[in-house]
Amino acid sequence: MDYFFFIDLIQSTVDGLLFGTTYALIGIGFTLIFGVMRKLNLAYGAAALAGTYIGLVVFLMFDAHPALVFLASALGSGLIGLVVYLCCFRFTPSNYPMASLLASVGMLLFIDEVVIHASHGLPYPYPSVFRDAIIELGDVWVRGDLLFVFFMCVVAMAALFWLLYRTPLGLATRAVSQQPRAAQLCGIDVTRVNMMTFGIAGVLGGIAGAMTAAAVGVLSPVIAMGLTVKGLIVVVIGGLGSIPGAIIGGLLVGAAENIFLLLRGVTERDIYVMLLLFIFLTLRPGGLFGSAQTRD
């Protein structure tokens, strides 16, 4: 292994770890919803993309500052998350989990088609910050835009942990996640907690979508499938229901993706990411931190 290849390998790993925080946010969103309701929301990635397009509309119509664009993306995705909850989860029978799962698949396809028709299936430039900033650490360069993406995602994760462990809503959310019937008997409105969980997860998805588009520089409808698939890979690797597992899984997938891009090129990158998933499913089916168990 020559010196220049070693530097390229370090560079790819650093870039992947920084960008992997976006995958971690998507994984956390999946984990939050599954942890509270024990159901997968497969429309989550599409809702995050739709919220990001709301931010893009704000940018194109008003030439808004990137901060306002990112805020509009997060809030828009949160509102769409609430719509997904009402349409796919609120009124479906709780004893038929396949009903909500298939409903979320239908919502994924619906949102995807709406976005494609609204955007004509074309990519659009998306605002970013610190794109021209470069921090040199010897022969390794750290991109300013990726560092900003990393910082914003870490702030979002810190805010989530504060919400979960320092607020009454967080206490109620953890109670519903552990014992929903007991929580209801204690006076906790389980329906409200479920709705708030979808809204919070939606905001995280909007931040992840906005940071993904900001790092790439463009927003395209094809991002939705990538967010969905990579998010599911993250939660499988980290363990369903584990937020620390989602964070570690996101960083691992981001680094592995960039390393495979360096070694095998863009056409084979996702193949090896899926291979990584199969390895985890074989060697550690419950993920790094184990999957959440069925509750009464």
Side-chain angles (χ1 to χ4, degrees):
M1 181 184 297
D2 60 29
Y3 175 76
F4 293 105
F5 176 79
F6 181 69
I7 292 298
D8 288 340
L9 186 62
I10 295 177
Q11 183 72 64
S12 296
T13 303
V14 170
D15 290 345
L17 288 173
L18 295 177
F19 188 76
T21 52
T22 62
Y23 295 150
L25 276 187
I26 291 292
I28 289 173
F30 276 112
T31 295
L32 269 180
I33 295 171
F34 183 83
V36 172
M37 298 189 68
R38 294 298 187 265
K39 295 179 180 179
L40 281 176
N41 174 24
L42 293 183
Y44 183 57
L49 175 71
T52 309
Y53 266 97
I54 291 176
L56 179 66
V57 170
V58 172
F59 173 67
L60 294 178
M61 292 185 62
F62 305 105
D63 193 24
H65 189 274
L68 293 178
V69 175
F70 301 152
L71 179 62
S73 298
L75 295 179
S77 181
L79 290 175
I80 295 173
L82 294 178
V83 172
V84 171
Y85 169 73
L86 293 174
C87 294
C88 302
F89 293 87
R90 173 65 180 88
F91 302 104
T92 54
S94 58
N95 55 338
Y96 290 103
M98 284 298 296
S100 56
L101 181 67
L102 293 177
S104 70
V105 172
M107 183 61 75
L108 183 156
L109 298 175
F110 174 77
I111 295 175
D112 202 38
E113 286 297 319
V114 170
V115 168
I116 289 174
H117 283 286
S119 64
H120 305 289
L122 300 174
Y124 286 85
Y126 197 84
S128 61
V129 293
F130 306 118
R131 179 168 294 278
D132 298 326
I134 296 292
I135 300 176
E136 297 186 26
L137 302 175
D139 291 327
V140 176
W141 293 5
V142 179
R143 287 169 44 186
D145 55 346
L146 284 182
L147 196 60
F148 174 76
V149 167
F150 176 82
F151 173 76
M152 289 301 297
C153 291
V154 169
V155 169
M157 294 176 198
L160 174 65
F161 275 98
W162 175 83
L163 180 68
L164 289 178
Y165 293 98
R166 292 291 184 270
T167 66
L169 175 60
L171 178 62
T173 301
R174 288 184 286 124
V176 172
S177 175
Q178 294 172 11
Q179 290 291 341
R181 293 181 183 177
Q184 191 170 23
L185 291 173
C186 291
I188 296 175
D189 188 341
V190 175
T191 300
R192 176 178 173 271
V193 170
N194 290 340
M195 182 176 294
M196 292 300 296
T197 299
F198 267 78
I200 294 168
V203 169
L204 294 178
I207 295 173
M211 293 301 101
T212 299
V216 177
V218 295
L219 181 60
S220 170
V222 300
I223 292 178
M225 188 56 66
L227 290 176
T228 301
V229 173
K230 297 293 174 53
L232 290 174
I233 292 175
V234 166
V235 296
V236 169
I237 290 176
L240 281 171
S242 171
I243 293 179
I247 295 173
I248 295 176
L251 297 177
L252 181 60
V253 169
E257 185 179 66
N258 257 31
I259 292 173
F260 293 142
L261 176 64
L262 171 68
L263 298 178
R264 304 301 301 175
V266 67
T267 57
E268 298 183 23
R269 175 191 61 187
D270 290 339
I271 296 176
Y272 287 94
V273 173
M274 293 302 295
L275 180 60
L276 178 66
L277 170 65
F278 295 146
I279 292 174
F280 267 89
L281 286 174
T282 302
L283 300 181
R284 197 171 180 83
L288 293 174
F289 287 80
S291 297
Q293 299 299 315
T294 303
R295 8 158 247 204
D296 295 328

XYZ file of all heavy atoms in Angstrom, residues 61-159:
758
model
N -38.308 30.743 -4.657
C -39.305 31.806 -4.750
C -38.865 33.093 -4.059
O -39.175 34.194 -4.530
C -40.629 31.330 -4.143
C -41.332 30.242 -4.932
S -42.957 29.821 -4.250
C -43.827 31.390 -4.439
N -38.147 32.971 -2.951
C -37.825 34.152 -2.146
C -36.327 34.413 -2.048
O -35.928 35.370 -1.372
C -38.412 34.002 -0.739
C -39.890 33.743 -0.721
C -40.376 32.474 -0.445
C -40.795 34.748 -1.011
C -41.734 32.219 -0.425
C -42.159 34.507 -0.999
C -42.636 33.243 -0.708
N -35.511 33.574 -2.707
C -34.062 33.701 -2.609
C -33.643 33.801 -1.141
O -32.847 34.654 -0.746
C -33.574 34.919 -3.393
C -32.058 34.910 -3.588
O -31.466 33.807 -3.545
O -31.470 35.989 -3.762
N -34.211 32.898 -0.336
C -34.029 32.950 1.113
C -32.615 32.541 1.516
O -31.901 31.850 0.775
C -35.050 32.039 1.797
N -32.231 32.960 2.694
C -30.946 32.561 3.272
C -30.963 31.058 3.525
O -32.007 30.488 3.855
C -30.722 33.306 4.582
C -29.357 33.144 5.152
N -29.010 32.076 5.968
C -28.230 33.900 5.022
C -27.742 32.195 6.320
N -27.245 33.285 5.761
N -29.812 30.387 3.374
C -29.780 28.934 3.607
C -30.351 28.514 4.947
O -30.987 27.454 5.051
C -28.294 28.602 3.497
C -27.759 29.613 2.550
C -28.530 30.867 2.832
N -30.175 29.320 6.000
C -30.713 28.956 7.313
C -32.234 28.840 7.261
O -32.822 27.911 7.837
C -30.296 29.986 8.355
N -32.899 29.759 6.559
C -34.350 29.692 6.416
C -34.765 28.510 5.558
O -35.808 27.892 5.801
C -34.879 30.999 5.815
C -34.738 32.251 6.691
C -35.262 33.476 5.947
C -35.485 32.063 8.003
N -33.956 28.206 4.558
C -34.241 27.050 3.699
C -34.184 25.763 4.511
O -35.073 24.905 4.421
C -33.251 26.996 2.519
C -33.466 25.739 1.689
C -33.401 28.231 1.648
N -33.143 25.612 5.331
C -33.012 24.411 6.162
C -34.149 24.322 7.177
O -34.682 23.237 7.437
C -31.661 24.418 6.883
C -30.471 24.458 5.963
C -29.272 25.023 6.378
C -30.554 23.948 4.671
C -28.177 25.059 5.533
C -29.455 23.995 3.813
C -28.273 24.548 4.247
N -34.531 25.471 7.757
C -35.629 25.488 8.727
C -36.946 25.091 8.057
O -37.717 24.298 8.619
C -35.751 26.878 9.350
C -36.876 27.065 10.377
C -36.662 26.143 11.573
C -36.952 28.520 10.834
N -37.192 25.617 6.866
C -38.415 25.259 6.135
C -38.431 23.778 5.789
O -39.485 23.133 5.844
C -38.524 26.104 4.861
N -37.283 23.228 5.453
C -37.193 21.798 5.146
C -37.547 20.962 6.368
O -38.303 19.988 6.268
C -35.786 21.448 4.665
O -35.454 22.140 3.473
N -36.996 21.337 7.524
C -37.247 20.574 8.752
C -38.718 20.656 9.152
O -39.350 19.629 9.449
C -36.354 21.089 9.869
N -39.274 21.872 9.161
C -40.668 22.034 9.563
C -41.614 21.383 8.559
O -42.616 20.764 8.941
C -40.995 23.523 9.715
C -40.246 24.259 10.835
C -40.649 25.721 10.864
C -40.499 23.602 12.177
N -41.300 21.524 7.264
C -42.138 20.902 6.241
C -42.153 19.391 6.365
O -43.210 18.753 6.256
N -41.003 18.815 6.608
C -40.935 17.371 6.781
C -41.670 16.928 8.038
O -42.314 15.872 8.057
C -39.465 16.930 6.849
O -39.365 15.532 6.993
N -41.600 17.741 9.099
C -42.332 17.409 10.311
C -43.839 17.394 10.079
O -44.545 16.496 10.547
N -44.345 18.377 9.330
C -45.778 18.418 9.023
C -46.194 17.239 8.155
O -47.262 16.633 8.374
C -46.113 19.735 8.318
C -46.048 21.001 9.182
C -46.279 22.245 8.332
C -47.067 20.926 10.313
N -45.367 16.896 7.185
C -45.680 15.741 6.328
C -45.650 14.460 7.159
O -46.445 13.544 6.938
C -44.696 15.672 5.147
C -44.887 16.892 4.245
C -44.904 14.397 4.340
C -43.861 17.019 3.145
N -44.732 14.392 8.127
C -44.708 13.239 9.025
C -46.016 13.074 9.786
O -46.505 11.955 9.963
N -46.604 14.188 10.219
C -47.894 14.131 10.903
C -48.992 13.634 9.967
O -49.856 12.853 10.376
C -48.256 15.521 11.441
C -47.362 16.071 12.552
C -47.818 17.469 12.942
C -47.374 15.159 13.768
N -48.948 14.076 8.708
C -49.937 13.617 7.721
C -49.797 12.110 7.492
O -50.795 11.385 7.408
C -49.771 14.391 6.397
C -50.669 13.791 5.306
C -50.104 15.864 6.591
N -48.550 11.639 7.409
C -48.313 10.209 7.234
C -48.889 9.431 8.419
O -49.514 8.373 8.242
C -46.806 9.923 7.069
C -46.535 8.422 7.103
C -46.296 10.516 5.759
N -48.683 9.944 9.618
C -49.223 9.271 10.805
C -50.744 9.181 10.739
O -51.328 8.114 10.985
C -48.799 10.013 12.064
C -49.519 9.539 13.307
C -49.214 8.302 13.875
C -50.517 10.312 13.891
C -49.888 7.853 15.001
C -51.185 9.869 15.024
C -50.875 8.644 15.567
O -51.548 8.191 16.675
N -51.398 10.280 10.410
C -52.853 10.295 10.367
C -53.401 9.390 9.269
O -54.428 8.731 9.445
C -53.354 11.726 10.165
C -53.107 12.692 11.329
C -53.506 14.112 10.945
C -53.866 12.237 12.568
N -52.724 9.343 8.132
C -53.224 8.564 6.997
C -52.895 7.080 7.103
O -53.683 6.238 6.650
C -52.656 9.124 5.686
S -53.227 10.778 5.260
N -51.750 6.754 7.681
C -51.253 5.373 7.610
C -51.234 4.635 8.948
O -51.190 3.396 8.950
C -49.838 5.358 7.020
S -49.700 6.093 5.385
N -51.277 5.352 10.064
C -51.083 4.683 11.354
C -52.197 4.962 12.368
O -52.529 4.087 13.160
C -49.736 5.105 11.965
C -48.549 4.611 11.203
C -48.041 5.349 10.136
C -47.932 3.417 11.522
C -46.943 4.894 9.417
C -46.842 2.951 10.814
C -46.348 3.696 9.749
N -52.741 6.170 12.354
C -53.674 6.554 13.415
C -54.924 5.678 13.426
O -55.393 5.256 14.493
C -54.060 8.034 13.232
C -55.162 8.523 14.178
C -54.700 8.485 15.620
N -55.738 8.952 16.516
C -56.683 8.169 17.049
N -56.695 6.862 16.782
N -57.588 8.656 17.862
N -55.463 5.372 12.261
C -56.758 4.701 12.206
C -56.669 3.256 11.696
O -57.695 2.639 11.454
C -57.726 5.497 11.330
C -57.933 6.903 11.818
C -57.334 7.978 11.170
C -58.694 7.150 12.944
C -57.516 9.275 11.623
C -58.891 8.447 13.406
C -58.289 9.516 12.745
N -55.445 2.752 11.509
C -55.304 1.354 11.104
C -55.355 0.465 12.342
O -54.911 0.870 13.428
C -53.978 1.113 10.361
O -52.890 1.573 11.176
C -53.963 1.861 9.034
N -55.887 -0.748 12.243
C -55.994 -1.638 13.416
C -54.619 -1.931 14.011
O -53.688 -2.315 13.294
C -56.641 -2.911 12.851
C -57.299 -2.477 11.581
C -56.462 -1.359 11.034
N -54.488 -1.756 15.316
C -53.198 -1.959 15.967
C -52.767 -3.420 15.978
O -51.579 -3.719 16.079
C -53.253 -1.441 17.410
O -54.276 -2.113 18.129
N -53.743 -4.330 15.859
C -53.397 -5.755 15.881
C -53.108 -6.307 14.490
O -52.935 -7.498 14.318
C -54.518 -6.564 16.541
C -55.876 -6.324 15.880
O -56.063 -5.301 15.231
N -56.801 -7.253 16.048
N -53.061 -5.418 13.481
C -52.695 -5.824 12.122
C -51.549 -4.926 11.641
O -51.772 -3.964 10.903
C -53.882 -5.709 11.171
C -54.958 -6.735 11.417
C -56.138 -6.401 12.072
C -54.796 -8.061 10.996
C -57.125 -7.342 12.309
C -55.785 -9.007 11.229
C -56.946 -8.636 11.887
O -57.914 -9.573 12.127
N -50.330 -5.215 12.072
C -49.202 -4.342 11.711
C -48.948 -4.262 10.215
O -48.421 -3.260 9.725
C -48.009 -4.992 12.439
C -48.429 -6.399 12.723
C -49.910 -6.355 12.914
N -49.317 -5.302 9.467
C -49.114 -5.261 8.024
C -49.960 -4.179 7.369
O -49.600 -3.656 6.305
C -49.445 -6.623 7.409
C -48.380 -7.677 7.626
S -46.797 -7.223 6.864
C -47.267 -7.199 5.132
N -51.094 -3.821 7.994
C -51.961 -2.792 7.421
C -51.238 -1.451 7.367
O -51.227 -0.770 6.327
C -53.246 -2.683 8.234
N -50.630 -1.059 8.482
C -49.909 0.210 8.509
C -48.649 0.153 7.655
O -48.272 1.145 7.022
C -49.555 0.584 9.945
O -48.811 -0.447 10.568
N -47.994 -1.015 7.626
C -46.794 -1.146 6.806
C -47.116 -0.953 5.332
O -46.436 -0.189 4.625
C -46.153 -2.524 7.036
C -44.859 -2.793 6.263
C -43.750 -1.893 6.749
C -44.456 -4.259 6.396
N -48.153 -1.617 4.854
C -48.538 -1.479 3.448
C -49.069 -0.080 3.159
O -48.857 0.460 2.062
C -49.581 -2.537 3.096
C -49.083 -3.990 3.124
C -50.219 -4.950 2.821
C -47.946 -4.188 2.114
N -49.759 0.517 4.134
C -50.230 1.888 3.947
C -49.054 2.850 3.797
O -49.097 3.776 2.973
C -51.101 2.303 5.129
N -47.988 2.625 4.565
C -46.815 3.491 4.450
C -46.099 3.282 3.118
O -45.537 4.226 2.562
C -45.855 3.249 5.622
O -45.232 1.974 5.538
N -46.134 2.060 2.596
C -45.572 1.816 1.253
C -46.362 2.600 0.215
O -45.796 3.228 -0.690
C -45.582 0.309 0.928
C -45.194 0.079 -0.527
C -44.633 -0.445 1.843
N -47.701 2.557 0.326
C -48.526 3.331 -0.592
C -48.252 4.821 -0.485
O -48.182 5.527 -1.502
N -48.065 5.322 0.744
C -47.751 6.734 0.929
C -46.385 7.079 0.351
O -46.196 8.159 -0.233
C -47.796 7.079 2.416
C -47.564 8.552 2.722
S -48.791 9.642 1.985
C -50.201 9.334 3.057
N -45.420 6.168 0.483
C -44.106 6.371 -0.127
C -44.242 6.584 -1.633
O -43.671 7.533 -2.197
C -43.199 5.171 0.166
C -41.745 5.192 -0.327
C -40.900 4.257 0.518
C -41.621 4.781 -1.795
N -44.993 5.693 -2.287
C -45.167 5.801 -3.734
C -45.913 7.079 -4.114
O -45.586 7.738 -5.105
C -45.916 4.574 -4.253
C -45.206 3.226 -4.053
C -46.097 2.085 -4.503
C -43.875 3.192 -4.790
N -46.924 7.434 -3.301
C -47.701 8.639 -3.581
C -46.835 9.891 -3.482
O -46.835 10.743 -4.386
C -48.877 8.723 -2.604
C -49.657 10.007 -2.713
C -50.549 10.202 -3.750
C -49.495 11.008 -1.761
C -51.265 11.391 -3.854
C -50.199 12.193 -1.851
C -51.098 12.381 -2.899
N -46.086 10.018 -2.376
C -45.232 11.195 -2.195
C -44.176 11.263 -3.289
O -43.882 12.330 -3.840
C -44.572 11.171 -0.803
C -45.635 11.300 0.289
C -43.539 12.281 -0.672
C -45.081 11.164 1.700
N -43.611 10.113 -3.617
C -42.579 10.055 -4.654
C -43.125 10.542 -5.994
O -42.469 11.317 -6.705
C -42.053 8.628 -4.774
C -40.676 8.576 -5.412
O -39.858 9.466 -5.139
O -40.420 7.647 -6.193
N -44.338 10.110 -6.339
C -44.940 10.536 -7.612
C -45.248 12.028 -7.600
O -45.052 12.720 -8.622
C -46.217 9.736 -7.874
C -45.975 8.299 -8.291
C -45.217 8.208 -9.607
O -45.515 9.007 -10.523
O -44.321 7.353 -9.718
N -45.744 12.535 -6.476
C -46.033 13.970 -6.383
C -44.760 14.787 -6.580
O -44.739 15.783 -7.317
C -46.683 14.300 -5.020
C -46.752 15.813 -4.817
C -48.083 13.707 -4.946
N -43.667 14.370 -5.930
C -42.395 15.091 -6.046
C -41.879 15.031 -7.481
O -41.414 16.041 -8.030
C -41.361 14.501 -5.063
C -39.962 15.042 -5.367
C -41.742 14.818 -3.631
N -41.977 13.865 -8.106
C -41.483 13.716 -9.480
C -42.273 14.611 -10.433
O -41.702 15.298 -11.295
C -41.566 12.241 -9.923
C -40.514 11.406 -9.178
C -41.363 12.114 -11.431
C -40.602 9.926 -9.446
N -43.604 14.629 -10.302
C -44.416 15.467 -11.183
C -44.184 16.952 -10.918
O -44.144 17.760 -11.851
C -45.903 15.126 -11.017
C -46.303 13.859 -11.701
N -46.433 13.748 -13.075
C -46.584 12.626 -11.207
C -46.789 12.519 -13.396
N -46.878 11.815 -12.290
N -44.019 17.318 -9.658
C -43.806 18.731 -9.327
C -42.450 19.232 -9.806
O -42.309 20.395 -10.211
C -43.937 18.942 -7.821
N -41.457 18.356 -9.765
C -40.098 18.757 -10.163
C -39.752 18.331 -11.578
O -38.638 18.593 -12.040
C -39.079 18.144 -9.193
O -39.094 16.722 -9.283
N -40.700 17.660 -12.261
C -40.464 17.100 -13.597
C -39.315 16.094 -13.606
O -38.706 15.846 -14.657
C -40.178 18.223 -14.613
C -41.257 19.270 -14.672
N -42.500 19.019 -15.216
C -41.292 20.554 -14.221
C -43.247 20.111 -15.115
N -42.543 21.048 -14.513
N -39.028 15.542 -12.423
C -37.977 14.539 -12.314
C -36.575 15.075 -12.509
O -35.628 14.299 -12.696
N -36.410 16.403 -12.449
C -35.110 17.021 -12.707
C -34.432 17.439 -11.406
O -35.109 17.819 -10.438
C -35.275 18.251 -13.600
C -35.888 17.996 -14.985
C -36.124 19.326 -15.699
C -34.979 17.095 -15.806
N -33.109 17.391 -11.359
C -32.397 17.900 -10.183
C -32.361 19.427 -10.190
O -32.327 20.058 -11.258
C -30.994 17.305 -10.345
C -30.828 17.114 -11.822
C -32.191 16.785 -12.355
N -32.375 20.009 -9.000
C -32.308 21.453 -8.846
C -31.164 21.811 -7.913
O -30.885 21.073 -6.963
C -33.614 22.003 -8.265
C -34.765 22.038 -9.242
C -35.563 20.913 -9.434
C -35.052 23.191 -9.976
C -36.621 20.933 -10.330
C -36.120 23.223 -10.872
C -36.897 22.087 -11.043
O -37.941 22.113 -11.929
N -30.511 22.950 -8.173
C -29.428 23.361 -7.247
C -29.987 23.668 -5.869
O -31.059 24.263 -5.733
C -28.852 24.616 -7.920
C -29.938 25.113 -8.816
C -30.687 23.898 -9.286
N -29.263 23.235 -4.858
C -29.698 23.431 -3.475
C -28.624 24.230 -2.738
O -27.432 23.992 -2.924
C -29.906 22.071 -2.799
C -30.727 22.126 -1.541
C -32.111 22.114 -1.604
C -30.128 22.204 -0.290
C -32.887 22.164 -0.455
C -30.892 22.253 0.867
C -32.270 22.227 0.773
O -33.028 22.291 1.923
N -29.037 25.193 -1.921
C -28.031 26.039 -1.261
C -27.196 25.271 -0.246
O -27.667 24.326 0.385
C -28.894 27.109 -0.555
C -30.216 26.440 -0.343
C -30.411 25.538 -1.530
N -25.979 25.680 -0.137
C -25.085 25.097 0.873
C -24.226 26.213 1.447
O -24.185 27.326 0.922
C -24.199 24.006 0.253
O -23.387 24.561 -0.768
N -23.564 25.922 2.519
C -22.704 26.918 3.163
C -21.304 26.335 3.325
O -21.121 25.122 3.420
C -23.263 27.331 4.544
C -24.581 28.085 4.387
C -23.464 26.122 5.437
N -20.329 27.220 3.294
C -18.913 26.867 3.471
C -18.426 25.881 2.406
O -17.520 25.079 2.660
C -18.669 26.262 4.870
C -19.152 27.132 5.994
C -20.135 26.686 6.857
C -18.616 28.402 6.185
C -20.586 27.486 7.890
C -19.059 29.201 7.222
C -20.047 28.752 8.079
N -19.031 25.956 1.197
C -18.616 25.014 0.152
C -17.164 25.229 -0.256
O -16.466 24.277 -0.619
C -19.544 25.157 -1.067
C -19.166 24.236 -2.219
C -20.246 24.182 -3.258
N -21.451 23.547 -2.735
C -21.612 22.234 -2.674
N -20.651 21.413 -3.088
N -22.717 21.714 -2.201
N -16.711 26.466 -0.238
C -15.343 26.764 -0.676
C -14.332 26.722 0.465
O -13.136 26.927 0.244
C -15.297 28.154 -1.335
C -16.166 28.225 -2.588
O -16.256 27.196 -3.291
O -16.762 29.296 -2.847
N -14.800 26.463 1.671
C -13.888 26.430 2.822
C -13.218 25.056 2.917
O -13.878 24.022 2.795
C -14.652 26.734 4.108
N -11.942 25.066 3.116
C -11.157 23.834 3.245
C -10.243 23.956 4.456
O -9.550 24.955 4.630
C -10.312 23.560 1.982
C -11.201 23.323 0.770
C -9.385 22.370 2.218
C -11.992 22.042 0.826
N -10.272 22.947 5.309
C -9.358 22.885 6.450
C -8.312 21.818 6.158
O -8.649 20.653 5.939
C -10.113 22.555 7.751
C -11.164 23.620 8.040
C -9.138 22.435 8.917
C -12.024 23.308 9.251
N -7.053 22.221 6.137
C -5.967 21.301 5.815
C -5.370 20.731 7.094
O -4.912 21.462 7.962
C -4.883 22.014 5.000
C -5.360 22.515 3.638
C -4.221 23.073 2.811
O -3.060 22.652 3.038
O -4.489 23.920 1.945
N -5.396 19.407 7.182
C -4.765 18.690 8.290
C -3.667 17.812 7.698
O -3.847 16.623 7.466
C -5.805 17.844 9.039
C -6.994 18.603 9.626
C -8.009 17.622 10.220
C -6.528 19.593 10.676
N -2.526 18.443 7.446
C -1.465 17.728 6.736
C -1.887 17.495 5.294
O -2.245 18.434 4.572
N -1.863 16.246 4.867
C -2.271 15.906 3.509
C -3.751 15.568 3.402
O -4.233 15.215 2.327
C -1.445 14.710 2.997
C 0.009 15.079 2.773
O 0.263 16.240 2.401
O 0.886 14.218 2.997
N -4.462 15.643 4.517
C -5.894 15.360 4.518
C -6.655 16.682 4.596
O -6.344 17.537 5.425
C -6.284 14.458 5.706
C -7.790 14.239 5.751
C -5.553 13.125 5.616
N -7.651 16.823 3.712
C -8.465 18.036 3.686
C -9.851 17.735 4.231
O -10.435 16.688 3.942
C -8.582 18.571 2.261
C -7.296 19.089 1.684
C -6.053 19.038 2.252
C -7.131 19.719 0.414
N -5.125 19.584 1.430
C -5.748 20.024 0.282
C -7.985 20.068 -0.614
C -5.240 20.656 -0.843
C -7.481 20.697 -1.736
C -6.114 20.996 -1.853
N -10.368 18.680 5.016
C -11.730 18.567 5.533
C -12.575 19.641 4.855
O -12.289 20.830 4.987
C -11.769 18.741 7.061
C -13.209 18.651 7.571
C -10.891 17.708 7.747
N -13.586 19.198 4.120
C -14.466 20.134 3.418
C -15.322 20.909 4.407
O -15.900 20.340 5.332
C -15.360 19.389 2.439
C -14.651 18.879 1.206
C -15.525 17.934 0.418
N -16.908 18.407 0.273
C -17.872 17.669 -0.295
N -17.594 16.445 -0.732
N -19.094 18.160 -0.390
N -15.415 22.215 4.187
C -16.203 23.051 5.079
C -17.674 22.712 5.076
O -18.336 22.744 6.120
N -18.221 22.357 3.892
C -19.645 22.030 3.839
C -19.942 20.724 4.572
O -20.961 20.610 5.265
C -20.131 21.965 2.387
C -19.320 21.005 1.535
O -18.235 20.582 1.974
O -19.764 20.667 0.427
N -19.041 19.740 4.465
C -19.252 18.496 5.196
C -19.105 18.697 6.700
O -19.814 18.067 7.484
C -18.263 17.428 4.717
C -18.561 16.770 3.371
C -17.520 15.701 3.072
C -19.952 16.160 3.358
N -18.198 19.583 7.099
C -18.037 19.882 8.522
C -19.296 20.562 9.054
O -19.733 20.281 10.185
C -16.814 20.775 8.729
C -16.276 20.889 10.161
C -15.855 19.524 10.689
C -15.105 21.863 10.206
N -19.906 21.429 8.238
C -21.162 22.070 8.636
C -22.279 21.035 8.749
O -23.079 21.077 9.695
C -21.543 23.141 7.606
C -22.897 23.749 7.846
C -23.092 24.674 8.851
C -23.979 23.388 7.050
C -24.340 25.238 9.073
C -25.231 23.939 7.267
C -25.412 24.871 8.280
N -22.345 20.113 7.788
C -23.340 19.036 7.843
C -23.167 18.226 9.123
O -24.141 17.928 9.834
C -23.216 18.130 6.600
C -24.006 16.834 6.783
C -23.697 18.870 5.358
N -21.933 17.871 9.435
C -21.642 17.110 10.653
C -22.094 17.883 11.891
O -22.750 17.336 12.789
C -20.140 16.819 10.720
C -19.691 16.118 11.971
C -19.816 14.751 12.100
C -19.138 16.842 13.023
C -19.404 14.104 13.258
C -18.717 16.205 14.172
C -18.858 14.833 14.291
N -21.773 19.174 11.931
C -22.123 20.001 13.089
C -23.638 20.084 13.261
O -24.154 19.923 14.376
C -21.535 21.401 12.916
C -21.979 22.382 13.969
C -21.438 22.343 15.250
C -22.943 23.335 13.680
C -21.855 23.240 16.224
C -23.369 24.233 14.649
C -22.821 24.192 15.924
N -24.364 20.328 12.174
C -25.819 20.458 12.268
C -26.462 19.145 12.713
O -27.408 19.146 13.508
C -26.378 20.893 10.911
C -26.053 22.331 10.538
S -26.678 23.534 11.737
C -28.445 23.254 11.595
N -25.976 18.032 12.196
C -26.538 16.737 12.582
C -26.252 16.422 14.046
O -27.112 15.888 14.758
C -25.990 15.629 11.680
S -26.566 15.716 9.962
N -25.058 16.767 14.509
C -24.716 16.540 15.916
C -25.589 17.415 16.814
O -26.065 16.957 17.869
C -23.219 16.818 16.159
C -22.910 16.849 17.649
C -22.367 15.752 15.476
N -25.827 18.659 16.417
C -26.708 19.542 17.188
C -28.118 18.954 17.251
O -28.765 18.974 18.314
C -26.734 20.953 16.571
C -27.853 21.799 17.183
C -25.393 21.647 16.780
N -28.602 18.433 16.118
C -29.935 17.827 16.094
C -30.000 16.613 17.026
O -30.990 16.420 17.753
C -30.308 17.425 14.667
N -28.951 15.793 17.023
C -28.928 14.632 17.919
C -28.892 15.069 19.379
O -29.593 14.493 20.231
C -27.694 13.767 17.614
C -27.706 13.108 16.259
S -26.157 12.208 15.961
C -26.212 12.012 14.181
N -28.088 16.089 19.688
C -28.014 16.577 21.061
C -29.369 17.125 21.516
O -29.797 16.888 22.649
C -26.940 17.666 21.175
N -30.058 17.856 20.620
C -31.384 18.381 20.959
C -32.374 17.245 21.201
O -33.221 17.326 22.108
C -31.883 19.291 19.827
